[in-house]
Amino acid sequence: MSPNCILERVATTKSTNDDLLARWRAGELIDPVARIAHQQTSGKGRAGRVWLSNPEDTLCFSLAYPFHKRPNELSGLSLVIGLAAISGIATALGLSEDALHQQGLRLKWPNDLLLNNAKLGGILIEGGQSNPNSPTWMVIGLGLNLRNPALIEKDLEGQSSFGVAALDQFMPHQSSIPDNEFVWLKLIESFEKHLAQFEQHGFGYFKNSWERWDAFNSQSVCISGAGKEPVIGISSGIDDTGALLLKQHDKLIVIHAGDVSLRVQS
């Protein structure tokens, strides 16, 4: 782990993303900061959705990280974080990435982790550049279900169109998964490694790796976004910027990251 990454642990906060964004806007960020909360009372997902935080059963944290690039040069960042999360999970559980893949772990473009089409985790990235001469600070939030998926799903009361999954499903016949602190630290280590590679090489470096984990490749999907008509087509991978390629008849449509959802058509 980088000696420059500050680790912060708090019992309760509204949102770790909001905490770090406020510090960025106030010009208070210098080194990377990873902030974890035992409980988030107003955790959030993409497009204004609520992320449910159950103490003990979920892991909710954010990492504020500076890039020496402009915001428009960071396309594909959420996909890289998905790969970083997989690597960190594998290390924390003492399993290979191949074993996780065989058990059904996948990534849903652009920001979710799925286990056999049930939601394991979600990624939310916010931030920007305060002026052209300053670093681009991105606040990367991850919500990850650790244990008791049935209880979490009951608390959601139908708010999610996907079922709920948790890390303990990877180890049903073994001892319980490691404690939250250990999982968190392994995820942060993986984030820092992947972010350094992303800053150096760009998203193209990760393109083939991400496509291996693509949950819906070659399937008919529906892309919907706020204020936009749904777009239906065949999910056909991603380009070198991390944009989704959607095949409609004989043409490819490029879908860039935004407030979109991706659903398999029945």
Side-chain angles (χ1 to χ4, degrees), residues 3-219:
N4 294 326
C5 185
I6 299 165
L7 301 177
E8 298 180 348
R9 303 160 180 86
V10 294
T12 303
T13 190
K14 287 185 176 181
S15 162
T16 53
N17 257 42
D18 284 350
D19 293 345
L20 296 178
L21 282 169
R23 257 186 262 175
W24 163 62
R25 294 187 181 107
E28 297 172 357
L29 294 178
I30 298 173
D31 293 318
V33 180
R35 182 175 177 85
I36 190 170
H38 178 67
Q39 182 177 23
Q40 288 196 106
T41 57
S42 299
K44 57 186 180 178
R46 283 168 57 88
R49 301 182 185 95
V50 173
W51 178 268
L52 186 68
S53 169
N54 280 357
E56 307 301 338
D57 291 339
T58 58
L59 187 71
C60 299
F61 73 91
S62 301
L63 171 67
Y65 192 91
F67 292 91
H68 300 290
K69 294 177 182 287
R70 295 181 183 276
N72 62 4
E73 297 176 300
L74 298 178
S75 61
L77 177 57
S78 66
L79 279 63
V80 173
I81 292 299
L83 292 171
I86 287 173
S87 178
I89 289 168
T91 302
L93 298 185
L95 299 172
S96 68
E97 292 188 20
D98 284 344
L100 298 180
H101 192 277
Q102 289 168 9
Q103 290 192 57
L105 181 60
R106 295 292 186 273
L107 295 173
K108 179 175 83 74
W109 185 91
N111 65 327
D112 287 334
L113 289 90
L114 303 180
L115 176 57
N116 297 314
N117 284 340
K119 188 164 181 176
L120 177 67
I123 298 159
L124 176 67
I125 301 179
E126 303 173 281
Q129 190 175 31
S130 55
N131 66 70
N133 298 317
S134 65
T136 297
W137 280 92
M138 302 308 290
V139 176
I140 301 161
L142 177 68
L144 187 66
N145 300 323
L146 302 180
R147 306 171 187 87
N148 300 321
L151 181 61
I152 298 172
E153 188 163 12
K154 181 181 177 182
D155 289 344
L156 281 171
E157 296 180 340
Q159 294 178 42
S160 175
S161 56
F162 286 86
V164 174
L167 285 194
D168 61 2
Q169 292 171 271
F170 288 113
M171 308 174 75
H173 305 301
Q174 301 179 35
S175 58
S176 59
I177 66 172
D179 63 44
N180 296 18
E181 175 85 2
F182 183 81
V183 176
W184 179 51
L185 293 176
K186 294 306 177 185
L187 285 166
I188 293 298
E189 288 178 3
S190 181
F191 277 26
E192 290 194 308
K193 175 186 173 183
H194 282 73
L195 290 173
Q197 293 172 334
F198 176 65
E199 174 130 51
Q200 182 178 357
H201 303 293
F203 179 74
Y205 180 80
F206 298 94
K207 179 177 180 289
N208 290 341
S209 295
W210 194 90
E211 288 185 332
R212 180 193 178 211
W213 296 92
D214 186 352
F216 299 137
N217 189 38
S218 300
Q219 297 186 46

Side-chain angles (χ1 to χ4, degrees), residues 221-234:
V221 297
C222 176
I223 310 295
S224 60
K228 297 180 180 178
E229 288 294 318
V231 180
I232 296 173
I234 304 297

